[in-house]
Amino acid sequence: MVDSLKKPGVEEMRAGTKVPAKETLLTPRFYTTDFDEMARMDLSVNEDELRAIVQEFRADYNRHHFVRDAQFEQSWDHIDGETRKLFVEFLERSCTAEFSGFLLYKELGRRLKDKNPLLAEGFNLMSRDEARHAGFLNKALSDFNLSLDLGFLTKSRSYTFFKPKFIFYATYLSEKIGYWRYITIYRNLEANPSHEIYPIFRWFENWCQDENRHGDFFDAVMRAQPQTLNDWRARLWCRFFLLSVFATMYLNDIQRNDFYETLGLNTREFEYEVIDKTNKTAGRVFPVMLNTDHPDFYKRLEVCVKNNEKLGEIANSNTPKPLQFLQKLPYYASSAWQILRLYLIKPIDAASNHGVVR
Ligand SMILES: [Fe+2]
Ligand SMILES: [Fe+2]
C-alpha cells in the first residue's frame, strides 16, 4: 500500500519500487564505448603505474566497510515532507550514478578480458566497488520504504556512446568530483554533527577513497595514452569536459539548495570548494584547468540558474506544450550563450607545471 505521508511525491512502478527519475540533460548518464579500440590500446609507457594501482585495488581496503550496523535500525519517518523528498532524490541520483559506473566498468572488464587483461582487471575491480556503493545506497532507500529496480534501469535507460578518450575524460572527472563531494560532505558533518540526519554520511570517508583510487586509475590510463593529453585537441576537449561537469553539478545542486542546507552546508560555498579542488586535481593530468576565479565564471553560471528556474516554471504551468516550447526557447538560447562564453574564457595552462606539481 502506498503511504503518501511517508513518500510525498514519490511515484512507484510497483509497491516499494520507485519509478526512475525522468532522464534530462542534468541526470546521471549511462555510457557505452568502442570496446575494440580500447582493447587495442598499448599501455606500455605507463604500465608500471597501472600495475601498482591494480595491485591496490586487489588489496581491497574497503572489503568490510559497506556493512550496515545498528545505527540504521530505527524508523526514519521523522524525516518527512520536503526534506524526505529531497533526501530520497539524493539517494536515487547517487545510486544511479554509482550503478552507471558499475555497468560500464563491468562491461569493459568482460569485453577486454582476453585482449587487454591488465585494463580488464582494473575495470572488474572498480565494478566491484561501484556495485557495493550502489547496493549500499539502494539499501538506504529501503529505509524510506523504496528501492530502485536496477535491472529495469539497465534495460530502460538510453546509453551515450563515447569514444574511449572521452570515456577517460568523463569518468576521470566524475570519479574525482565524486571524491571531493563525498569528502567535503563528510568533513562538514564531522564538524557539525547536529546536521547529520541519517548515518550514511559516516561511510563517506572510506568510500571516497575508492573514488579517489578510481580517478587515479584513469589518470594512469591517460598517461599511458599521451595523445589523449598533449595536443591542441586534448586542450579543447579537456576544457569542454571540465566545464560540462562543473556546470552540470552547479545547476543540479543549486536547484536542490534546501537539501545541502539541511546538511548544514552553504550550497554555493560547497560548489566553490568542490569545483576548485576538482579543477586543481585535474590540472595534475589535464593540460589545462579552468579559470574559475574569472569574475564572469560564477556570474554566468548564475544566469543559467535563473534560466533553469524559468524553464521549471514554464514546464509546471498549464500552458499547452507547443506554446511552452516557444516560451522556453529564449531561456535555452540564453543558457547556451552563457556556456559558450564560459567555454571561451581563457583557461590556465597546467601542462607546464606537470613536472613540478606531482
Ligand atoms: Fe562509487
Ligand atoms: Fe568510482
Side-chain angles (χ1 to χ4, degrees):
M1 206 178 76
V2 181
D3 184 338
S4 56
L5 268 177
K6 287 183 192 159
K7 299 172 215 171
V10 174
E11 251 188 287
E12 287 164 291
M13 46 197 256
R14 41 178 197 278
T17 306
K18 190 183 173 305
V19 172
K22 229 173 66 211
E23 282 182 67
T24 69
L25 264 178
L26 297 179
T27 45
R29 307 215 139 250
F30 283 44
Y31 296 106
T32 183
T33 189
D34 182 339
F35 297 100
D36 293 328
E37 188 190 325
M38 214 173 283
R40 284 194 305 271
M41 277 182 356
D42 174 11
L43 306 169
S44 49
V45 296
N46 200 29
E47 201 177 312
D48 290 347
E49 195 187 346
L50 268 169
R51 284 200 186 281
I53 293 171
V54 170
Q55 184 57 40
E56 271 217 301
F57 287 170
R58 280 193 211 121
D60 199 0
Y61 305 117
N62 281 340
R63 183 191 316 245
H64 304 298
H65 181 61
F66 293 95
V67 179
R68 282 158 59 94
D69 62 14
Q71 298 174 66
F72 289 92
E73 286 162 20
Q74 57 154 296
S75 159
W76 300 100
D77 290 351
H78 59 278
I79 304 181
D80 55 7
E82 192 59 16
T83 312
R84 191 176 181 99
K85 203 174 134 208
L86 285 165
F87 200 69
V88 163
E89 196 188 18
F90 169 78
L91 293 174
E92 178 185 5
R93 291 179 63 87
S94 307
C95 181
T96 309
E98 297 281 9
F99 186 67
S100 121
F102 161 75
L103 279 183
L104 175 69
Y105 300 159
K106 185 85 202 155
E107 188 63 6
L108 280 162
R110 194 175 70 81
R111 302 268 201 125
L112 303 179
K113 197 165 158 252
D114 301 319
K115 299 169 196 149
N116 205 330
L118 177 60
L119 214 48
E121 188 180 2
F123 282 122
N124 271 328
L125 292 170
M126 290 196 296
S127 79
R128 166 203 70 196
D129 297 340
E130 305 301 13
R132 280 179 193 152
H133 302 168
F136 202 71
L137 285 156
N138 213 7
K139 202 81 187 102
L141 273 168
S142 74
D143 289 336
F144 299 86
N145 312 319
L146 289 166
S147 72
L148 280 181
D149 182 339
L150 298 174
F152 174 77
L153 213 57
T154 310
K155 280 178 251 137
S156 66
R157 286 289 292 252
S158 51
Y159 288 74
T160 307
F161 177 87
F162 270 173
K163 282 175 74 61
K165 74 168 176 179
F166 299 136
I167 289 281
F168 299 150
Y169 299 145
T171 45
Y172 168 77
L173 280 176
S174 84
E175 296 289 359
K176 288 294 182 185
I177 210 166
Y179 165 73
W180 284 114
R181 286 174 65 81
Y182 284 152
I183 196 68
T184 309
I185 292 176
Y186 176 82
R187 286 189 188 138
N188 162 69
L189 288 173
E190 198 182 26
N192 305 288
S194 63
H195 287 278
E196 196 192 57
I197 54 171
Y198 182 71
I200 199 166
F201 305 107
R202 286 190 206 162
W203 269 254
F204 279 14
E205 190 184 25
N206 290 17
W207 183 327
C208 75
Q209 294 306 332
D210 282 344
E211 314 303 7
N212 203 22
R213 282 187 285 269
H214 297 170
D216 290 343
F217 178 79
F218 288 109
D219 176 312
V221 172
M222 288 187 282
R223 286 177 205 275
Q225 296 279 295
Q227 73 283 6
T228 59
L229 298 171
N230 61 13
D231 63 8
W232 59 272
R233 281 187 218 97
R235 291 179 166 265
L236 293 178
W237 281 115
C238 287
R239 263 164 90 176
F240 172 80
F241 276 93
L242 283 164
L243 180 59
S244 359
V245 168
F246 294 162
T248 308
M249 179 181 78
Y250 197 80
L251 296 181
N252 267 320
D253 290 349
I254 301 290
Q255 211 182 333
R256 296 168 179 86
N257 181 43
D258 293 353
F259 173 74
Y260 295 94
E261 286 192 348
T262 307
L263 300 184
L265 286 157
N266 173 315
T267 313
R268 283 179 173 80
E269 297 293 331
F270 172 67
E271 300 301 299
Y272 303 152
E273 169 90 2
V274 171
I275 288 177
D276 183 55
K277 289 283 178 28
T278 310
N279 196 31
K280 286 184 178 137
T281 303
R284 287 193 244 147
V285 59
F286 282 3
V288 286
M289 291 185 282
L290 297 191
N291 180 6
T292 55
D293 292 329
H294 191 287
D296 280 358
F297 190 81
Y298 286 106
K299 218 161 76 190
R300 293 197 182 279
L301 283 177
E302 285 296 328
V303 177
C304 297
V305 168
K306 287 269 169 314
N307 289 337
N308 246 16
E309 283 168 9
K310 285 280 172 210
L311 289 168
E313 280 168 27
I314 297 169
N316 291 328
S317 71
N318 294 325
T319 317
K321 287 280 173 221
L323 208 62
Q324 278 195 8
F325 178 71
L326 287 178
Q327 287 177 330
K328 284 178 180 176
L329 268 181
Y331 299 106
Y332 281 132
S334 159
S335 288
W337 174 247
Q338 300 305 326
I339 297 293
L340 176 68
R341 293 297 303 268
L342 280 164
Y343 184 74
L344 294 175
I345 293 177
K346 193 171 178 292
I348 298 167
D349 176 60
S352 54
N353 289 330
H354 281 173
V356 187
V357 179
R358 283 210 95 206

